[in-house]
C-alpha cells in the first residue's frame, strides 16, 4: 500500500523529470557523468541517495524491486531502502534476482546473470574515477573532455613498479566504448567483467556528488590494464562452504577465535538458489 | 556452526523503538513542548532554519525535539522535508535598509545615522554560570528597549560609497541560480557561493573565517556593520502587476569593509564581504562575510596565496554538514565485499614479498 | 487560450509519466526498439507519442522549439498550459518537435559542450510510421544490430562522428516511439 502522504515514489514530478532527463543523457553518452540537481532524501548522503533517486525516477507500479547491499538482501541498509520503496511506491519486492525487474545494489553485481529488460541501479559514493589522483572537479572535467587519462595510467604503472601488479581490488576503473574512463562504483574487480555486454541496463547514481551515468545494454566496457599486466578478476581461492559454488564472489567469515574461517557466497540469493537445487559445500550440511 | 545473519528488519524496528524511548527520556520529567523549544532555545531554532534553508520556526522546533537536540540531525530533517516542497517562485530582494533592527553595531564609525543599538547580545555578559536559572520560576524585569525606529536605517557602506571609497555594488535584476535546484557548477557565481555559505555548517564557516584572520589568505576585515531585525518579504504577483508583502523574516546581515590596495583596473579603495543568514545568527553572518571576501580574490585581481579559504572548490564542496556527515558516517555501513578484496590483495602482496625475501636468503 | 488547451493531459500524472519514461528509457537505451505509449491527447498535428514525451520530459526549465506546422497556436497553448515550457528559437532549445523536414538544418540545435556534452538538444521527430526496416544500427544498447526506418542516414552519421557531442532523437508516430542516441552507428541498407 502506498503512503498517501507522499507522491508516487516520494519525489515530486518536477524532480523526477529533472532526474529522468539526466538519465537519458547518461544513456546517450555512456560512461559520462551527467550533473543533476540531487535532492536531499530522507536517508543520509552516502547511504544510497543517488541510487534511491534513480530508482524513484525509474519505478513503475508494476515493478518487482530487489535491493542488495554487499550482495545480500537482508543487510540493514538494503532492508531500509526496500522498505522505503514499499512504503512510498507500493511496489512488489523480491529477493530472487531473476524475478526482479529493477535491482538497486551497493558494491556488487549479482552472480546470477541478468537478463534483457532488467535495470541494475548502482549506489555510487565517488563517481569520479580520477578523484583520488586529482581532487579538483575543474581539472578532472578537463581531463575527461580531452580524453587525457595519462594520470590514471601513470598510477596503475606505479603500482606495477612497486608491487608487481595493479594494487586496486575494488572500484577498479574501466573504459566505456573506448571513450570515457568510468568508476564502476566500489564493486570488487571480480565483478568488472559483468559490466560489459550485459543484457541489462545499468544506471549509476551519486547523490552527494550530484552525478548520474549509465551503461546501456550491450555496451563495451574494458577494465584498464597493460598488455604485459592484463586485468585479472580475482576472488578468494575457495569454493563456497555452503553451496560449493566456485564461480561466485566469496565473503570470508571468522567462525571461532582459533583462526577458523569459512567462505560463503556474498550473493545470498545465488547461494540459496544453489542450495535449494541440492548443491552442498564443505560445511553445508551443518549450517543453517 | 554458521548461522547466516538474518533479521535486519526486526533489528531496525527495535532500534527505532529504543530510540523513541531514549528521546522521551524519564517519563516523570515533563515533556518539552514545541512552544518551549521555539521560545527558549531560539538560537538553536535559528541555526536549524539557517542551515536547513527553511524559514519555519515551528518545524525547526519539531526537528530539534525529534533529533534529541542533535542540531545537524535536526537540519537534516528540515532539508529532507524542504526538498518535497514545490518552488512557487522567487521573492523580490529584501530591503535590509528597511529592517526593523533590534541590534545594529558598526566597528568602523563611533556614531552614525540610525545609531548603534546593542540589542539582546551575549557580547558583554560575563560568562559565569547563572545558578539562579537552575531554579525554575524566574521572574524577569521588563527590559528597557527603545521603540523600534520605523525610519530607514541606512547602510554604513553607503556612506563610504558616496565618497567612492568602497567598491560599488550595483543592483542586478538578474535572477540568481538556485543551489537547491541546479547542480553546483564551478567556478560558481558569487550569488551561488553566498547560498552555499549561508546554509553551510556554522563550525566549518567559522573555522574558515578564523583561518583568514590568522593569515591564511588575510583579508583585513572590519565589521562595517552588523544588523539584526525583521524585514518584509515581497513577491511580484503577475496578475496584479506589483509586489505584495507575503510575510516577514528575521535576518542577520553583516557587511565587512576590507582593505584593498588597488589593481590594474581599480584604484585603491575598500572592498566588501557580505553575510546574510536567517534568524539571529551573528557568528555565522560575520564568518560568512569573511569567507565571501576571501573567495573574491580572483575577481579583485588579488594574489592566490594558496590558503584554504581562497579555494572555492575546497570551501564550497565541503561546507555542507548534511553531505559531510552522511558520507562520513556511511563508513559504518557494511563494506565486507570491498574489505574482502583488499584482504586478498594484501595477502597476495605479502606472499610475494615474503617469497622474494626467502629467495634472497 | 481555448478550452482545448486545458484537455489532453495525463489523467494520473505520476503513474502515466512513470510508464512513459520507462518506455522512453527503453527506446533510447535500446535503439531500434519500437514501443507503445499512452495517456496524452495533444492537439493536431501532434501524435499521441510526441505528446506523451513532452508531458513526461519538459517543464518550465526546458526551452522547447516547435518547428514548421507544429508551431501553431493550439500546440503552443497546450504545451504552455500543461508544461510551462518556454517556447524558443532552435539554438536555445532543450527539446525540439517537428517532422524531419521541419527540423532542418539540424546543425542549429545545441550539440553540447566539450566539457558538458549533456547540454544538448533532444529532437522529437514526427514520422508517418515506425518500422524495423531500413537503416542498420549498431552500438551501445544493441546486441548485434537493429533496423529502423530513419528519415535519412547522413545526418545521423555526421552526428555520430561528433560523439560525445551531438543531439539525441526520439521518433514518434501515432502511439509509437523509438530512440536514436548520438552513440549509435548508422549505415544505409
Amino acid at each position: 500500500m502506498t503512503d498517501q502522504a507522499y507522491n508516487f515514489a516520494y519525489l515530486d514530478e518536477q524532480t523526477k523529470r529533472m532526474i529522468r532527463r539526466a538519465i537519458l543523457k547518461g544513456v546517450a553518452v555512456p560512461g559520462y557523468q551527467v550533473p543533476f540537481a540531487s535532492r536531499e532524501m530522507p536517508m543520509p548522503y552516502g547511504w544510497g541517495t543517488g541510487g534511491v533517486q534513480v530508482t524513484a525516477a525509474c519505478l513503475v507500479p508494476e515493478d518487482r524491486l530487489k535491493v542488495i547491499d554487499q550482495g545480500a538482501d537482508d543487510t540493514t541498509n538494503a532492508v531500509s531502502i526496500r522498505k522505503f520503496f514499499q512504503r512510498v511506491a507500493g511496489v512488489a519486492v523480491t529477493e530472487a534476482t531473476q524475478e526482479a525487474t529493477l535491482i538497486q545494489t551497493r558494491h556488487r553485481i549479482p552472480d546470477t546473470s541478468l537478463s534483457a529488460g532488467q535495470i541494475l541501479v548502482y549506489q555510487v559514493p565517488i563517481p569520479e574515477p580520477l578523484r583520488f589522483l586529482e581532487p579538483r572537479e575543474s581539472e578532472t572535467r578537463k581531463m575527461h573532455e580531452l580524453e587525457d587519462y595519462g594520470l590514471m595510467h601513470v598510477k596503475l604503472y606505479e603500482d606495477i613498479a612497486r608491487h608487481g601488479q595493479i594494487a586496486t581490488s575494488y572500484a577498479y576503473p574501466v573504459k566505456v566504448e573506448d571513450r570515457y574512463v568510468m568508476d564502476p562504483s566500489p564493486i570488487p574487480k571480480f565483478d568488472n567483467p559483468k559490466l560489459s555486454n550485459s543484457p541489462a541496463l545499468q544506471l549509476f547514481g551519486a547523490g552527494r556528488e550530484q552525478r548520474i551515468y549509465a551503461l546501456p545494454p550491450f555496451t563495451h566496457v574494458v577494465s584498464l590494464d597493460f598488455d604485459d599486466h592484463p586485468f585479472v578478476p580475482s576472488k578468494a581461492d575457495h569454493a563456497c562452504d555452503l553451496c560449493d559454488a566456485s564461480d561466485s564472489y566469496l565473503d570470508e567469515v571468522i567462525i571461532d577465535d582459533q583462526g577458523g574461517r569459512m567462505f560463503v557466497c556474498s550473493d545470498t540469493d545465488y547461494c540459496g538458489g544453489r542450495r535449494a537445487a541440492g548443491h552442498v559445500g564443505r560445511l553445508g550440511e551443518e549450517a543453517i | 556452526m554458521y548461522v547466516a545473519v538474518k533479521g535486519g528488519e526486526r533489528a531496525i524496528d527495535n532500534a527505532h523503538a529504543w530510540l523513541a524511548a531514549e528521546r522521551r527520556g524519564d517519563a516523570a520529567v515533563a515533556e518539552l513542548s514545541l512552544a518551549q523549544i521555539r521560545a527558549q532555545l531560539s538560537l538553536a531554532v535559528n541555526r536549524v532554519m539557517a542551515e536547513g534553508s527553511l524559514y519555519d520556526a515551528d518545524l525547526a522546533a519539531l526537528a530539534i525535539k525529534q533529533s534529541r537536540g542533535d542540531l545537524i540531525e535536526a537540519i537534516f530533517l528540515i532539508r529532507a522535508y524542504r526538498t518535497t516542497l514545490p518552488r512557487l517562485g522567487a521573492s523580490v530582494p529584501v530591503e535590509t535598509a528597511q529592517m526593523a533592527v533590534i541590534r545594529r553595531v558598526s566597528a568602523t564609525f563611533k556614531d552614525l545615522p540610525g545609531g548603534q543599538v546593542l540589542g539582546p547580545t551575549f557580547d558583554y555578559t560575563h560568562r559565569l554560570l547563572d545558578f539562579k536559572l537552575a531554579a525554575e520560576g524566574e521572574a524577569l524585569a521588563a527590559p528597557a528597549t527603545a521603540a523600534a525606529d520605523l525610519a530607514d536605517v541606512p547602510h554604513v557602506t553607503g556612506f563610504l560609497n558616496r565618497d567612492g571609497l568602497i567598491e560599488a555594488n550595483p543592483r542586478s535584476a538578474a535572477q540568481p541560480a538556485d543551489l537547491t535546484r541546479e547542480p553546483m557548477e564551478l567556478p560558481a557565481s558569487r550569488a551561488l557561493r553566498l547560498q552555499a555559505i549561508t546554509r553551510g555548517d556554522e563550525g566549518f564557516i567559522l573555522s574558515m573565517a578564523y583561518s583568514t584572520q590568522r593569515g591564511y589568505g588575510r583579508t583585513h576585515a572590519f565589521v562595517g556593520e552588523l544588523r539584526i531585525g525583521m524585514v518584509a518579504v515581497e513577491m511580484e504577483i503577475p496578475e496584479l502587476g506589483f509586489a505584495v508583502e507575503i510575510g516577514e523574516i528575521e535576518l542577520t546581515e553583516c557587511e565587512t569593509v576590507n582593505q584593498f590596495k588597488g589593481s590594474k583596473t581599480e584604484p585603491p579603495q575598500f572592498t566588501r564581504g557580505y553575510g546574510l543568514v536567517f534568524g539571529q545568527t551573528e557568528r555565522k553572518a560575520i564568518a560568512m562575510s569573511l569567507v565571501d571576501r576571501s573567495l573574491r580574490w580572483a575577481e579583485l585581481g588579488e594574489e592566490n596565496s594558496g590558503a584554504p579559504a581562497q579555494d572555492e572548490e575546497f570551501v564550497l564542496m565541503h561546507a555542507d554538514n548534511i553531505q559531510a556527515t552522511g558520507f562520513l558516517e556511511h563508513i559504518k555501513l557494511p563494506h565486507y565485499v570491498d574489505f574482502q578484496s583488499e584482504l586478498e590483495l594484501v595477502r597476495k602482496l605479502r606472499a610475494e614479498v615474503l617469497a622474494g625475501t626467502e629467495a634472497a636468503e | 487560450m481555448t478550452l482545448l488547451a486545458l484537455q489532453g493531459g495525463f489523467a494520473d500524472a505520476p503513474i502515466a509519466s512513470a510508464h512513459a519514461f520507462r518506455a522512453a528509457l527503453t527506446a533510447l537505451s535500446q535503439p531500434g526498439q519500437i514501443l507503445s505509449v499512452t495517456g496524452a491527447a495533444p492537439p493536431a498535428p501532434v501524435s499521441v507519442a510526441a505528446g506523451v514525451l513532452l508531458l513526461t520530459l519538459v517543464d518550465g526549465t526546458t526551452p522547447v522549439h516547435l518547428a514548421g506546422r507544429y508551431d501553431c497556436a493550439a500546440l503552443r497553448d497546450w504545451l504552455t498550459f500543461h508544461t510551462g515550457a518556454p517556447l524558443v528559437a532552435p539554438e536555445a532549445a532543450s527539446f525540439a518537435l517537428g517532422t524531419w523536414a521541419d527540423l532542418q538544418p539540424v546543425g542549429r540545435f545545441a550539440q553540447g559542450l566539450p566539457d558538458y556534452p549533456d547540454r544538448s538538444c533532444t529532437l522529437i521527430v514526427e514520422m508517418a510510421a515506425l518500422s524495423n526496416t531500413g537503416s542498420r544500427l549498431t552500438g551501445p544498447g544493441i546486441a548485434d544490430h537493429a533496423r529502423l526506418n530513419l528519415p535519412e542516414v547522413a545526418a545521423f552519421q555526421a552526428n555520430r562522428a561528433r560523439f560525445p557531442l551531438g543531439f539525441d532523437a526520439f521518433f514518434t508516430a501515432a502511439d509509437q516511439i523509438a530512440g536514436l542516441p548520438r552513440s549509435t552507428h548508422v549505415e544505409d541498407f
Side-chain angles (χ1 to χ4, degrees), chain A residues 58-246:
Chain A
C58 289
L59 275 182
V60 294
E62 296 77 16
D63 268 319
R64 270 186 313 282
L65 176 69
K66 172 181 166 81
V67 183
I68 50 173
D69 186 346
Q70 314 299 302
D73 299 87
D74 57 358
T75 32
T76 43
N77 204 42
V79 169
S80 171
I81 291 171
R82 186 165 54 239
K83 227 173 156 178
F84 175 72
F85 281 115
Q86 282 179 288
R87 179 172 171 191
V88 300
V91 291
V93 297
T94 180
E95 296 192 3
T97 300
Q98 282 164 327
E99 287 173 16
T101 52
L102 194 154
I103 303 170
Q104 180 167 330
T105 180
R106 176 168 171 264
H107 295 189
R108 278 305 316 275
I109 300 176
D111 283 316
T112 304
S113 300
L114 301 177
S115 52
Q118 289 184 307
I119 300 177
L120 183 61
V121 176
Y122 295 75
Q123 302 172 201
V124 182
I126 301 277
E128 178 50 70
L130 306 167
R131 178 65 67 238
F132 297 112
L133 307 173
E134 166 52 63
R136 283 174 200 284
E137 153 78 13
S138 37
E139 294 297 318
T140 53
R141 181 163 290 278
K142 218 173 297 164
M143 292 177 190
H144 285 295
E145 171 189 340
L146 301 172
E147 236 180 309
D148 174 9
Y149 297 124
L151 206 57
M152 180 66 89
H153 286 106
V154 168
K155 190 261 170 197
L156 297 178
Y157 190 78
E158 280 175 354
D159 269 7
I160 292 170
R162 187 176 308 161
H163 305 296
Q165 57 188 289
I166 294 171
T168 298
S169 59
Y170 63 93
Y172 191 103
V174 296
K175 198 162 194 186
V176 179
E177 290 285 330
D178 207 26
R179 176 60 182 82
Y180 285 101
V181 167
M182 186 191 97
D183 181 302
S185 89
I187 55 172
K189 67 177 182 173
F190 172 81
D191 283 341
N192 271 27
K194 295 182 237 171
L195 293 161
S196 192
N197 279 310
S198 171
L201 169 64
Q202 301 173 79
L203 303 175
F204 299 77
R208 193 177 36 77
E209 298 281 340
Q210 307 190 305
R211 297 291 184 272
I212 285 171
Y213 50 104
L215 297 173
F218 308 110
T219 295
H220 192 50
V221 180
V222 178
S223 301
L224 297 182
D225 63 0
F226 296 95
D227 288 342
D228 49 348
H229 284 89
F231 171 81
V232 183
S234 61
K235 68 180 209 46
D237 194 13
H238 295 266
C240 173
D241 283 329
L242 296 180
C243 77
D244 206 35
S246 54

Side-chain angles (χ1 to χ4, degrees), chain C residues 101-185:
Chain C
D102 293 333
L103 292 167
Q104 299 308 312
V106 289
R108 302 175 291 170
F109 297 102
Q111 316 282 317
L113 304 172
D115 50 345
Y116 287 97
D118 52 303
R119 295 183 183 172
S120 56
C121 187
T122 300
L123 309 182
I124 301 173
V125 186
E126 290 270 59
M127 308 267 285
L130 296 179
S131 67
N132 291 123
T133 57
S135 304
R136 185 174 190 272
L137 317 180
T138 54
I142 303 164
D144 177 35
H145 72 275
R147 290 196 193 285
L148 192 64
N149 59 328
L150 298 181
E152 73 160 277
V153 166
F156 296 101
Q157 287 175 335
N159 194 42
R160 179 64 184 82
R162 278 191 293 268
F163 186 89
L165 303 187
F167 60 81
D168 307 310
F170 286 104
F171 301 96
T172 49
D175 67 344
Q176 295 190 312
I177 66 167
L180 194 81
R182 67 193 83 172
S183 59
T184 303
H185 295 272

Side-chain angles (χ1 to χ4, degrees), chain B residues 130-361:
Chain B
D130 182 357
F131 291 101
K132 289 201 296 293
L133 285 178
E136 290 167 30
E138 56 173 337
L140 287 183
T145 54
D149 190 350
L150 294 181
D152 287 5
V153 182
H155 283 106
V156 167
T157 49
F159 306 136
L160 291 168
N161 193 28
R162 204 165 307 153
D163 301 329
L165 285 171
I166 194 164
E167 60 169 323
N169 211 0
R171 276 179 181 260
S172 161
Q175 187 155 318
D178 182 343
L179 182 67
T180 68
R181 292 278 147 173
E182 288 160 43
M184 174 83 80
E185 187 185 337
L186 299 167
S189 66
R190 189 177 178 202
L192 214 51
R193 288 202 304 248
L194 290 169
Q195 286 176 46
I197 302 170
T198 197
R199 75 196 315 241
D201 181 73
E202 180 175 310
F204 178 83
I205 304 299
L206 169 65
S207 293
M208 281 291 129
Y210 177 47
S211 71
T212 70
Q213 291 183 292
R214 287 196 65 255
Y216 287 79
R218 189 154 182 231
T219 60
H220 313 272
F222 298 99
V223 171
E225 182 170 354
L226 174 75
R227 56 170 69 194
I228 303 174
M230 302 297 289
V231 297
V233 178
E234 296 184 342
M235 238 180 121
E236 298 270 9
I237 308 295
E239 288 77 8
L240 296 179
F242 54 86
V244 295
E245 183 174 330
I246 55 168
E248 51 176 14
I249 59 175
E250 188 181 39
L251 291 175
T252 302
E253 182 185 52
C254 179
E255 281 193 285
T256 56
V257 176
N258 300 68
Q259 207 186 89
F260 179 58
K261 295 197 178 72
S263 67
K264 280 183 189 128
T265 53
E266 299 292 333
Q269 61 180 174
F270 292 108
T271 54
R272 303 165 190 257
Y274 190 70
L276 186 73
V277 187
F278 281 158
Q280 185 174 345
T281 42
E282 68 183 65
R283 181 186 302 121
K284 175 73 171 288
I286 299 169
M288 177 177 174
S289 59
L290 264 62
V291 175
D292 168 48
R293 177 60 185 78
S294 176
L295 291 174
R296 297 181 61 207
W297 64 271
E299 167 199 350
L300 295 169
E302 294 173 334
E303 191 190 339
N304 179 2
S305 65
Q310 287 182 309
D311 187 331
E312 174 184 81
E313 183 161 346
F314 182 81
V315 173
L316 300 189
M317 299 307 278
H318 302 110
D320 190 289
N321 51 25
I322 303 308
Q323 292 177 356
T325 200
F327 198 51
L328 179 94
E329 295 195 47
H330 107 282
I331 62 175
K332 294 183 285 195
L333 290 177
H335 284 78
Y336 319 135
V337 164
D338 317 7
F339 184 71
Q340 184 64 39
S341 64
E342 289 284 90
L343 203 56
E344 277 147 31
L345 179 66
V346 170
R347 279 186 185 134
K348 195 169 164 204
L349 293 175
R350 277 175 64 84
E352 280 164 18
V353 169
L354 294 176
T357 315
E358 274 167 28
E361 278 168 3

